[in-house]
Amino acid sequence: MIQRHDFFVLRQPAFPISTLTRFYDQLATHSFDDLLRQHYQNPLAQEAIFTASPTLYERFQRWLAGEVLPEQTKLLLTLHKYLIRMCSRATPYGLFAGCTMGRFGDQSVYRAGTSATLRTHSRIDMDCLLAIGRWLTSLPHLRAQLKLYPNTSLYSAGASLRYVEQQWETDHRNYFISAVEADQYLTTVLTAARTGSTIGELATLLTDLQTDADEAADFIEQLIDSQLLVFETEPTVTGRPYLDWLTERIASLADTGPEVTALQTLMNGLQQGDRRQTYSHIRQWLLDRQISPPTSDLMQVDSFFDNPTLQLGERAIQHLQRDLEKLLLLNQPAVCPDLDEFKRRFYNRYEDEGIPLTLALDQEFGIGYGSGSTLGVGYAP
């Protein structure tokens, strides 16, 4: 039996389906090019294109101004696909579609949101946040004050320690498992870093073990470079907005006035109503600090339709529940041979014992996962 909460989330495209049907109805008397041009006179449609693909937007604007472009047919087909997307697909993405929240009541009060009720939230792309974090930790006066913590994926495997390391490529990141031998010095550093320690504090611990001060500092830097130690500024996907927290944390350190001002300027630029200006603001902010934009998608946009009167009545809910229960017959479990084999091998070896997932996935000390388990350290499921 399907149970419901006291609210529901409705997803809807930015434009009604009638916009698309009207477009096709008019093809008998108007050209494909003219109808597309007519639709994209709408400011919301233009912003939707910019939000989805800033690189496409420049060519799109030249076409909209009347310029004949090379490969224009390909551009028109792309714009046609985007038209279909923003009129018929309800999956939220940028300004193509959004969502709203409704309640249940005695009677249905249903009216879809419109562009007039559209509310958006702009945020900086995660790859850009990572680049900003790396820029901050490269500044000597900040690097010396920020705390270090062990890599959160770290686990013991026999006499060694293993962890997931990431490697940056031109346009993406690769992840693989790295291994290091545990010794007195490494164990001392990782134990102290569990509660957060600066580079200087960790280096001092090593000098207490009769280590040269320069060698101790170099050792800590090597641990940072190999990602065994990570700075506290690593972006998070839950909790407070990352930039708010980051600005507050940097402000708590000594002699960080210029960096705090820079972060505040960046955040203020996100409040602009015109996303094209916001995009330019973020890009210029990065370039002013010699930060190479890691992606063309510098910002992400979430769309919401304010619709406080949206309500579904009991009769509509009962009808939906009956139909959904019929559809459940089609909801057959997916077959995943790798997962089934992992479950079988896990139970045969560990039965009901609680095992860290990282250890279970280890191909040498655990049971591995999938056909890649024979590849040795460096394969990350």
Side-chain angles (χ1 to χ4, degrees), residues 308-361:
T309 62
L310 184 62
Q311 182 173 289
L312 280 181
E314 286 298 328
R315 290 185 59 184
I317 290 303
Q318 292 172 7
H319 180 75
L320 285 172
Q321 285 181 317
R322 286 196 300 269
D323 288 347
L324 286 173
E325 287 170 358
K326 295 175 183 177
L327 289 174
L328 285 177
L329 295 174
L330 303 176
N331 186 28
Q332 299 300 317
V335 177
C336 180
D338 283 347
L339 181 60
D340 292 339
E341 177 64 12
F342 175 79
K343 290 188 291 186
R344 184 190 67 79
R345 294 170 62 190
F346 185 93
Y347 187 77
N348 286 344
R349 179 164 178 175
Y350 301 115
E351 295 187 347
D352 296 328
E353 183 181 356
I355 296 294
L357 181 60
T358 50
L359 179 59
L361 292 174

Side-chain angles (χ1 to χ4, degrees), residues 287-302:
L287 294 177
D288 288 345
R289 288 151 187 85
Q290 288 77 52
I291 303 174
S292 298
T295 173
S296 60
D297 299 324
L298 301 183
M299 66 177 183
Q300 303 294 331
V301 178
D302 303 312

Side-chain angles (χ1 to χ4, degrees), residues 137-269:
T137 57
S138 70
L139 302 176
H141 65 293
L142 291 182
R143 192 177 183 86
Q145 298 182 72
L146 290 168
K147 292 184 177 182
L148 291 164
Y149 291 86
N151 188 308
T152 56
S153 64
L154 193 67
Y155 65 97
S156 298
S160 66
L161 296 174
R162 297 187 178 181
Y163 63 102
V164 176
E165 186 177 352
Q166 61 176 322
Q167 187 177 61
W168 284 86
E169 299 293 343
T170 303
D171 56 354
H172 66 281
R173 294 186 298 274
N174 293 321
Y175 295 89
F176 54 94
I177 296 177
S178 293
V180 294
E181 294 299 321
D183 58 20
Q184 177 187 8
Y185 303 101
L186 180 58
T187 301
T188 298
V189 168
L190 292 176
T191 300
R194 289 176 185 171
T195 55
S197 299
T198 65
I199 293 176
E201 291 169 344
L202 294 176
T204 299
L205 284 176
L206 293 179
T207 57
D208 292 341
L209 297 176
Q210 309 304 314
T211 303
D212 179 78
D214 291 337
E215 290 183 357
D218 289 343
F219 181 69
I220 301 301
E221 290 292 347
Q222 289 176 18
L223 296 183
I224 296 172
D225 291 340
S226 62
Q227 300 171 32
L228 268 165
L229 292 175
V230 295
F231 283 102
E232 59 181 302
T233 52
E234 286 290 299
T236 55
V237 295
T238 60
R240 291 181 59 193
Y242 175 69
L243 272 182
D244 290 348
W245 173 87
L246 183 63
T247 304
E248 183 178 303
R249 175 62 182 131
I250 298 301
S252 69
L253 305 178
D255 302 321
T256 58
E259 290 75 30
V260 172
T261 300
L263 291 172
Q264 290 172 339
T265 300
L266 178 61
M267 289 193 297
N268 292 337

